[in-house]
Amino acid sequence: MTNPRATTPVLIVGAGPVGMTLASELARYQVPLRIIDKTPQRTDKSKALVVWSRTLELFDRGSGAKRFIDAGFKAHAVNFVAGDKTIGHVAMDDVESPYNFALMLPQSETERVLEERLSELGVAIERQVELTGFTMRADGGDAVLRHPEGREEQVAVDWLIGCDGAHSAVRHGLQAPFTGVTMGADFMLADVHMQGYPFPDTEIAIYWHREGILVVFPISPGRYRVIADLPPNGGEHPATPTLDEVQAILDRRGPPNLRASDPVWLSGFRINGRKVSDYRHGRAFLLGDAAHVHSPAGGQGMNTGMQDAFNLAWKLAMVVRGVVSGPAGDKLLDSVSPERSAVGEQVLKAADRITEIGTLHNPVAQTLRNVAAHLALGLAPVQHAVIDRMTEIAIAYPHSPLNGPHGASGGPRPGERVSPAPGQPPIGAGDTPRFTLFAEPTDAARDLTRRFATIIEPEIRPPLAKSGLWLARPDAYLACSAKDAQAIAAYLDNLTRDERSSH
Ligand SMILES: Cc1cc2nc3c(=O)[nH]c(=O)nc-3n(C[C@H](O)[C@H](O)[C@H](O)COP(=O)(O)OP(=O)(O)OC[C@H]3O[C@@H](n4cnc5c(N)ncnc54)[C@H](O)[C@@H]3O)c2cc1C
């Protein structure tokens, strides 16, 4: 039976971490939406284990980072071990973020926290509802949803957002190429209890053994995630290890006397490195694993996807709420793909590189790697570069089409992250997507916030350097800076001008 047509402004397909992040951001901006998922419940697997500093900063604008932190466990350092020697120790204490740690939180818990937050915002995930087909036009589209009892629903949508994972139906429907490679190694993953871990329970360890890599992440006191590469098994799927096989690898590659027990989850995986080139296809977007998949080395997959969602949310909210419309709205939404695709590209390359370095099998190359890493990881600038990348506070949009001029002396440059100042509310908080002005509260600055009241926060914050004005986007990246208020006004005029109405 086919239902009469219903209309929805935003249809989010997939209630994984990325779909739920997008839904919670859009809901706080009061954008009407539906979010569907074909499975009966959220994952019970620990999959993505780390929520990084930048993701927590971005959550702080809406859901609040505290709810994640309360559920998780803080890791403060990463150790690199070759043979029986610790050749590097990188601490996170100096990361310039209120969240100077790696938050260890199994994906099942991350999803629980997100689902609870959605429910507070009045959004219910429609479960066992599957997108089975759709067609898109210039002004929207039609989607077909299958309900659990077999009923088919036709729904007219203004925007269709594919957060439906690596095998995305939205991506297939859009015929968007997902180019890349499957790497020639299998990995085993074990979520186990362990005794005999030689580092503090708050530190990660990467063991570079001549046979391959072994990585140990603390999950909670006494519980760990263990990952190791294995020779490809030649089959269609990588093998799931037994506890004895996990123990055998720990015995060979790990420190003495490490004993695993009580497995929570044992799995095998094979690495794909694939990405779409365009995240936007007219009125459809692809985010998260639907747009990019890569090696879990570096633990960036879920975080990158969530940040795709943060990036789209404020732009789509401005368009759906009519703050920016016509070609200006299109221009705003067109910036999602170049900004996020560049980040996806970097993450893919870095994950491949980390995987290659960790899984070198040539003994000469291994020795060179160990010596080079020992030297480099002893240098403070290298340590900072590694950790700023890992925690994702180094993410920036230097080539964004949204970047305006940099006229102020000092402070962040357009496209760079604006770090949250201690004691101030997060940039971009609240129920309206608005820019934040940093300046001396002169008459000209006040006029600016009044003239662009729908798009700038009323409160002016202290300057970010000695002299000038700085305008931060709702996702806390710098839009532009200037010596005077006119240049900021020109930027906002340009951003919001609907060229159709000015002719
Ligand atoms: C073993 C393993 C370990 C990992 N470790 C890490 C890690 O350490 N760090 C990290 O950052 N990432 C890690 N990842 C990756 C991480 O799990 C993913 O990046 C993350 O889940 C992506 O989130 P997503 O919301 O984009 O997609 P998913 O979590 O895949 O969610 C997609 C959702 O869409 C739904 N769906 C699909 N098709 C349809 C349809 N047609 N209709 C309705 N619903 C649909 C699915 O049911 C699913 O719930 C790991 C993954 C695996 C498998």
Side-chain angles (χ1 to χ4, degrees):
M1 195 182 92
T2 303
N3 253 2
R5 280 159 63 93
T7 305
T8 190
V10 180
L11 176 64
I12 301 174
V13 183
V18 175
M20 284 200 273
T21 300
L22 180 65
S24 68
E25 285 289 283
L26 290 177
R28 91 169 154 110
Y29 292 142
Q30 302 164 57
V31 172
L33 63 94
R34 286 177 70 180
I35 174 166
I36 60 164
D37 200 290
K38 65 182 179 184
T39 57
Q41 72 246 335
R42 58 175 186 258
T43 187
D44 60 356
K45 303 286 188 292
S46 56
K47 297 202 288 193
L49 202 55
V50 190
V51 186
W52 291 113
S53 313
R54 184 58 181 152
T55 308
L56 290 171
E57 288 179 5
L58 288 164
F59 271 122
D60 225 8
R61 298 149 54 253
S63 322
K66 187 173 178 305
R67 59 183 78 221
F68 293 95
I69 293 168
D70 286 350
F73 179 73
K74 295 177 191 169
H76 293 281
V78 183
N79 297 288
F80 294 82
V81 186
D84 53 4
K85 253 177 64 191
T86 302
I87 58 167
H89 174 87
V90 180
M92 286 176 229
D93 305 333
D94 293 340
V95 171
E96 285 177 19
S97 166
Y99 309 109
N100 56 348
F101 47 81
L103 185 73
M104 310 309 292
L105 187 65
Q107 188 169 327
S108 48
E109 281 292 283
T110 299
E111 293 194 15
R112 175 186 62 77
V113 171
L114 281 167
E115 192 163 358
E116 284 172 10
R117 169 66 178 156
L118 276 183
S119 152
E120 282 168 21
L121 288 163
V123 177
I125 297 166
E126 298 175 48
R127 293 213 175 263
Q128 292 179 279
V129 178
E130 180 175 1
L131 175 86
T132 55
F134 66 90
T135 48
M136 297 305 288
R137 301 176 307 272
D139 62 348
D142 295 298
V144 184
L145 311 184
R146 187 164 55 219
H147 286 257
E149 68 284 9
R151 174 171 63 94
E152 230 180 41
E153 179 192 0
Q154 307 274 342
V155 58
V157 298
D158 289 336
W159 299 95
L160 177 70
I161 321 291
C163 302
D164 48 347
H167 304 287
S168 170
V170 178
R171 191 185 64 237
H172 287 300
L174 294 169
Q175 299 183 341
F178 203 37
T179 47
V181 290
T182 302
M183 289 175 121
D186 285 354
F187 284 77
M188 60 140 237
L189 178 154
D191 180 347
V192 288
H193 291 83
M194 277 201 316
Q195 284 185 329
Y197 187 52
F199 294 103
D201 247 355
T202 52
E203 297 187 1
I204 296 162
I206 299 175
Y207 293 89
W208 283 334
H209 185 265
R210 60 182 184 287
E211 179 188 276
I213 195 169
L214 170 73
V215 188
V216 182
F217 299 91
I219 299 182
S220 55
R223 183 177 159 194
Y224 301 82
R225 154 80 54 89
V226 176
I227 293 184
D229 66 312
L230 304 170
N233 71 358
E236 204 179 317
H237 300 288
T240 299
T242 63
L243 183 61
D244 285 345
E245 285 164 344
V246 174
Q247 184 61 52
I249 287 203
L250 292 175
D251 290 343
R252 286 203 302 277
R253 300 188 195 176
N257 307 322
L258 201 53
R259 294 238 49 92
S261 62
D262 308 322
V264 180
W265 184 40
L266 300 172
S267 180
F269 62 92
R270 193 164 286 162
I271 291 176
N272 280 291
R274 293 181 192 280
K275 193 180 144 292
V276 295
S277 55
D278 293 311
Y279 288 34
R280 180 178 183 192
H281 295 251
R283 284 186 165 246
F285 284 87
L286 295 166
L287 307 182
D289 276 18
H292 46 79
V293 291
H294 37 79
S295 152
Q300 309 280 306
M302 179 187 75
N303 287 265
T304 305
M306 285 167 152
Q307 292 182 35
D308 294 342
F310 286 117
N311 188 292
L312 172 64
W314 68 269
K315 297 171 183 173
L316 190 56
M318 279 193 177
V319 170
V320 173
R321 291 170 58 141
V323 180
V324 180
S325 54
D330 254 334
K331 221 161 85 186
L332 186 61
L333 290 171
D334 270 346
S335 68
V336 172
S337 193
E339 289 185 353
R340 294 309 301 169
S341 182
V343 171
E345 202 76 57
Q346 283 164 18
V347 170
L348 220 83
K349 281 198 185 126
D352 280 358
R353 192 90 197 98
I354 301 171
T355 309
E356 270 168 32
I357 290 172
T359 55
L360 284 174
H361 285 105
N362 177 314
V364 178
Q366 286 180 341
T367 307
L368 288 174
R369 169 196 67 194
N370 298 352
V371 171
H374 183 47
L375 292 173
L377 291 171
L379 304 171
V382 175
Q383 291 195 357
H384 280 137
V386 169
I387 221 70
D388 287 357
R389 263 191 165 226
M390 221 181 218
T391 55
E392 302 187 350
I393 64 163
I395 287 175
Y397 305 127
H399 307 296
S400 168
L402 291 186
N403 288 349
H406 180 47
S409 38
R413 301 181 65 82
E416 288 180 357
R417 160 182 169 266
V418 183
S419 14
Q424 281 187 10
I427 298 158
D431 61 6
T432 310
R434 279 198 284 231
F435 288 68
T436 302
L437 184 65
F438 295 80
E440 293 298 346
T442 58
D443 286 348
R446 282 203 201 90
D447 279 352
L448 199 60
T449 58
R450 274 194 292 269
R451 185 173 151 209
F452 293 96
T454 56
I455 205 169
I456 305 191
E457 292 285 351
E459 189 208 330
I460 300 171
R461 299 206 193 181
L464 294 172
K466 214 161 171 198
S467 74
L469 298 90
W470 292 260
L471 186 70
R473 310 173 355 168
D475 56 356
Y477 289 94
L478 198 79
C480 66
S481 76
K483 284 193 176 53
D484 55 47
Q486 276 135 322
I488 304 272
Y491 174 86
L492 288 170
D493 269 334
N494 187 40
L495 184 82
T496 52
R497 188 184 303 121
D498 180 352
E499 278 143 18
R500 290 173 314 183
S501 48
S502 55
H503 289 304

